[in-house]
Amino acid sequence: MSKKIVVLGGGTGGTIVSNNLRRHLPPEWEITVIDRDDQHIYQPGLLFVAFDLQKSKTLVRSRKKYIMPGVNFVIDEITHINPDKKEVKTRNHTFGYDFLIISTGCKIVPEENDGLMDAWGKNAFSFYTIESANLLRKRLQEFDGGKLVLNIAELPFKCPVAPIEFVFMADWFCKKKGIRNKTEIELVTPLSGAFTKPKATAIFNEAAKSKNIKITPGFELNAVHGKEKYIESVQGDKVSFDTLVIIPTTIGDEVISKSGMDDSIGYVPTHHNTLKALKHDNVYVIGDATNVPTSKAGSVAHYEADVVVFNIMAEIHGTKPEEIYDGHSTCFIVYSKGTSSLIDFNYKIEPLPGKFPMPKLGPFSLLKETKMNWQGKLGFEWLYWNVLLAGRHLGAPPTLVMAGKEVG
Ligand SMILES: Cc1cc2nc3c(=O)[nH]c(=O)nc-3n(C[C@H](O)[C@H](O)[C@H](O)COP(=O)(O)OP(=O)(O)OC[C@H]3O[C@@H](n4cnc5c(N)ncnc54)[C@H](O)[C@@H]3O)c2cc1C
């Protein structure tokens, strides 16, 4: 009898893990990926759409095209997971499984933020979806100065470096337009600084200062007042704006909470190192759908996919899953059109300066603004579509490599 692996979500994590598993497993293992649509979006490109550096249609490709022959791809809405019965229901079918991989990601829910929908598209914008990034692009084209505020509504959110990239790019954009002297840029965040890790935060804070960008930390959003043009925190602090760019409240997909598998904000409680669901046998979780304490980033989904393939193979061969994953995350941080920084870290080790991926040679520099890093950021899109989604290895382990990093 055939054995079955079902993968929920055909985004970054789901595509990589399915293709990688297909390479490892004999044909009697049936692999099925389910997603609600056939539109795979390269999400890092949404930042460039907002600044009119990339057209949104270039970010969208057919999921099916990137899922290997030998993997079934089903377009359907996943409506319920029953881990006791080892069964997944979609609108039109029921799928049994031997192993389940949850990679349903997370999404912004602007409706959750008081007052936001009244201002949406008028003076409040986002860039986390194709539609919102295009609306913001139009606004920025018309933008002629004033106060531009980037607010992170709530933790956790997707891609913790994206807000920093946005304000740095806004500085570049306003300079290019010749309106920087009549524009104030402010990053208003619930974090204690520009980023989650202290050393990198200090460096990003310094870069923001040199670009005359104000950072307002510790701000927990209570409401958006679009007409009066201010945001208000739970503590009653107010920050005024002319144009608000917001990362609204972010949650895991409803199917997780409706199936009773979530941690109250829609994420699956997941073992930090094996990536098995804590409460359910034969279930693994990767990408933005987990509650593991590292960035919700594509690089993380990629590293995690390698670990999950290893552990499913281990279970199939009758051994225990290993505690391999260390929270490894790698992200470019764009500083302007033409320069970027780069960070590489895990649960325990903060981003450090040095060279990446090769010690001494790089060619990329960690925690440093360089032109070569910008080339890396641009080249990454090609790598994503042509190498990474296929579940191929780049010769590096999924865990953090210390060679090339300057400790102390
Ligand atoms: C503006 C922006 C910039 C970013 N920049 C970077 C960056 O520079 N570097 C980086 O590493 N990461 C970046 N990211 C983050 C990265 O894109 C995500 O972390 C990554 O895509 C997560 O992969 P995933 O597989 O967990 O989720 P996704 O790729 O979002 O896939 C989830 C899939 O599940 C499907 N799904 C969910 N629920 C259901 C359901 N009920 N039924 C059917 N299908 C369902 C969805 O349709 C979706 O296709 C950025 C994200 C944004 C928004």
Side-chain angles (χ1 to χ4, degrees), residues 8-16 34-37 39-48 63 74-80 89-90 102-108 127-129 133 158-162 165 247 252-256 286-290 295-302 304 329-334 377 380 384:
L8 305 184
T12 308
T15 304
I16 294 173
I34 310 170
D35 204 293
R36 55 168 67 99
D37 60 42
Q39 299 206 308
H40 191 129
I41 299 168
Y42 178 65
Q43 298 177 39
L46 293 169
L47 177 77
F48 288 169
R63 295 187 197 283
V74 175
I75 299 178
D76 208 344
E77 181 73 24
I78 306 151
T79 52
H80 195 258
K89 279 196 192 307
T90 62
I102 300 178
S103 48
T104 41
C106 65
K107 58 182 180 184
I108 56 164
F127 60 99
Y128 268 50
T129 60
K158 198 184 318 208
C159 192
V161 298
E165 292 185 295
I247 296 160
D253 194 85
E254 287 88 359
V255 71
I256 305 298
I286 57 171
D288 298 346
T290 77
S295 298
K296 293 196 180 297
S299 60
V300 167
H302 181 227
E304 289 176 336
S329 177
T330 313
C331 288
F332 287 104
I333 303 107
V334 169
K377 170 82 184 177
F380 189 81
Y384 180 85

Side-chain angles (χ1 to χ4, degrees), residues 32-204:
T32 302
V33 191
I34 310 170
D35 204 293
R36 55 168 67 99
D37 60 42
D38 189 29
Q39 299 206 308
H40 191 129
I41 299 168
Y42 178 65
Q43 298 177 39
L46 293 169
L47 177 77
F48 288 169
V49 171
F51 291 101
D52 207 23
L53 295 175
Q54 190 161 6
K55 296 279 173 250
S56 58
K57 63 174 189 241
T58 66
L59 302 179
V60 190
R61 299 195 187 176
S62 158
R63 295 187 197 283
K64 195 168 168 39
K65 209 178 140 206
Y66 289 87
I67 293 171
M68 274 172 67
V71 176
N72 308 316
F73 176 51
V74 175
I75 299 178
D76 208 344
E77 181 73 24
I78 306 151
T79 52
H80 195 258
I81 308 164
N82 186 334
D84 298 328
K85 280 191 175 171
K86 289 196 190 170
E87 202 176 83
V88 171
K89 279 196 192 307
T90 62
R91 230 171 242 153
N92 302 302
H93 303 280
T94 300
F95 297 86
Y97 65 81
D98 295 285
F99 287 101
L100 182 71
I101 302 173
I102 300 178
S103 48
T104 41
C106 65
K107 58 182 180 184
I108 56 164
V109 272
E111 307 80 18
E112 288 285 311
N113 300 120
D114 263 8
L116 180 53
M117 291 321 287
D118 297 334
W120 194 253
K122 294 176 193 142
N123 57 2
F125 300 83
S126 193
F127 60 99
Y128 268 50
T129 60
I130 294 265
E131 296 74 23
S132 64
N134 273 321
L135 269 180
L136 177 57
R137 178 180 52 80
K138 278 192 202 132
R139 172 64 163 216
L140 289 176
Q141 291 306 304
E142 293 156 7
F143 188 69
D144 192 29
K147 191 165 175 196
L148 181 59
V149 169
L150 183 294
N151 174 238
I152 300 157
E154 208 178 332
L155 305 178
F157 62 100
K158 198 184 318 208
C159 192
V161 298
I164 311 167
E165 292 185 295
F166 181 84
V167 289
F168 286 0
M169 284 299 286
D171 170 68
W172 164 82
F173 181 81
C174 292
K175 278 182 185 148
K176 190 192 67 155
K177 257 190 143 186
I179 55 167
R180 187 63 182 96
N181 57 355
K182 42 178 184 159
T183 306
E184 279 176 70
I185 304 174
E186 184 169 342
L187 171 61
V188 183
T189 170
L191 294 166
S192 57
F195 189 57
T196 48
K197 311 274 175 181
K199 280 181 192 152
T201 298
I203 288 172
F204 298 147

Side-chain angles (χ1 to χ4, degrees), residues 263-278:
D263 62 352
S264 85
I265 46 172
Y267 300 110
V268 187
T270 307
H271 191 286
H272 294 183
N273 311 105
T274 62
L275 300 173
K276 269 192 101 156
L278 285 176

